[in-house]
Amino acid sequence: MGKRSVTTAAAILIAAFSMLVALNAQDQPRPAMSCPVDHDQLADILKKSVKPGGGPSNGGLDNNEWAAVVNRQGIVCAVAYSGSKVDDQWLGSRAIAAEKANTANAFSLKNKAMATGNLYAGAQPGGFLFGAALSNPPSPEILYAGTQDEFGTAHDPMVGKPVGGMIVFGGGLALYDGNGIAGALSVSGDSSCADHNVAWRVRHLLGLDRVPAGISPNMKDAIIYDIGPDGKSPSGFGHPKCNGKEDQIAVDLGAGVSGNVVR
């Protein structure tokens, strides 16, 4: 056999071996994605946390809502809605929910939580986080993959993928279990102030609110309503009030601080 023939045969054998290795790797089970919440848990508790589902008022419009959960790696674990069908809540809020969850996870640490509502003041012109909202564009091919029939189900096309995105208004909260930060939860579909209240209720009912510390020392990652008529936030982490009773409900829940004192 000539030298060229030997070289060709060797190349064929190497290619065949590589193909077998690749096929074998594909056949191996992938490690399960670590998620703090599954779809059924999220959907059940979300329904119980909004007025249309028989829950309490959260101020605002008392709409049905979307909710999303990401794990610590920013991978979407679950997407759910509180209505009986997909268009019972604002369709645009599905994407916002996923992006809020990504944001809360991205800006929270094992020892300090940061709600999306805590980012508002700093992200305004002249603030120390100005431009943050544009820093991490979401992935449209993930947000809008699949069909509307799958949205909000256990088979939502976003599940298992990183969406990205950065949202700097209320509704996103980091999740903490006994071992530290486990990812983040978000709610969208009403005023951002009401979204924060719903997210606070859902996180508590999930038992994932063992927040170690935050911007608001005692209320931790509470939303802070301290933006004055001049548009400035004395704490630097304030959020504007919405038009309903969301701020009052937040204070009653322990989810918000109203006034200039950060508790």
Side-chain angles (χ1 to χ4, degrees):
M1 184 181 292
K3 187 174 182 180
R4 186 172 182 180
S5 298
V6 170
T7 302
T8 303
I12 292 171
L13 285 172
I14 291 169
F17 179 75
S18 299
M19 186 177 293
L20 285 171
V21 170
L23 289 171
N24 185 59
Q26 290 175 7
D27 290 339
Q28 298 306 309
R30 295 183 180 182
M33 184 172 64
S34 175
C35 284
V37 180
D38 66 29
H39 171 268
D40 291 348
Q41 282 179 297
L42 184 63
D44 178 57
I45 291 177
L46 179 63
K47 289 176 188 292
K48 294 173 180 175
S49 301
V50 297
K51 192 171 182 179
S57 175
N58 292 287
L61 302 171
D62 277 325
N63 284 347
N64 275 305
E65 299 262 31
W66 289 90
V69 169
V70 300
N71 67 8
R72 186 55 177 150
Q73 289 72 46
I75 305 299
V76 177
C77 292
V79 181
Y81 53 78
S82 63
S84 59
K85 59 185 187 302
V86 71
D87 64 347
D88 283 345
Q89 39 285 308
W90 293 340
L91 293 173
S93 284
R94 172 178 169 270
I96 295 173
E99 293 177 56
K100 283 185 189 179
N102 178 71
T103 306
N105 182 62
F107 277 89
S108 296
L109 301 170
K110 183 176 182 179
N111 61 349
K112 182 172 284 188
M114 182 83 77
T116 55
N118 299 148
L119 299 172
Y120 179 89
Q124 302 311 304
F128 67 100
L129 288 173
F130 180 59
L134 303 175
S135 66
N136 186 7
S139 175
E141 63 271 18
I142 293 175
L143 286 174
Y144 302 112
T147 65
Q148 196 175 97
D149 291 343
E150 298 171 300
F151 292 175
T153 70
H155 305 291
D156 189 293
M158 286 195 288
V159 173
K161 302 179 182 70
V163 168
M166 199 64 61
I167 301 289
V168 294
F169 48 80
L173 300 170
L175 298 174
Y176 290 85
D177 59 19
N179 298 313
I181 186 168
L185 156 79
S186 69
V187 170
S188 183
D190 205 308
S191 71
S192 57
C193 306
D195 292 345
H196 174 84
N197 292 344
V198 179
W200 195 274
R201 294 184 195 277
V202 172
R203 182 174 69 173
H204 177 68
L205 291 174
L206 287 169
L208 292 169
D209 58 352
R210 302 183 190 183
V211 181
I215 299 305
S216 179
N218 296 332
M219 300 172 84
K220 298 171 182 178
D221 55 350
I223 196 167
I224 300 169
Y225 292 116
D226 70 347
I227 295 181
D230 59 358
K232 295 182 179 179
S233 164
S235 70
F237 297 95
H239 190 283
K241 291 183 180 181
C242 300
N243 291 329
K245 297 181 179 179
E246 300 97 328
D247 59 319
Q248 300 169 36
I249 292 170
V251 171
D252 292 342
L253 272 176
V257 179
S258 188
N260 294 332
V261 180
V262 179
R263 290 181 287 163

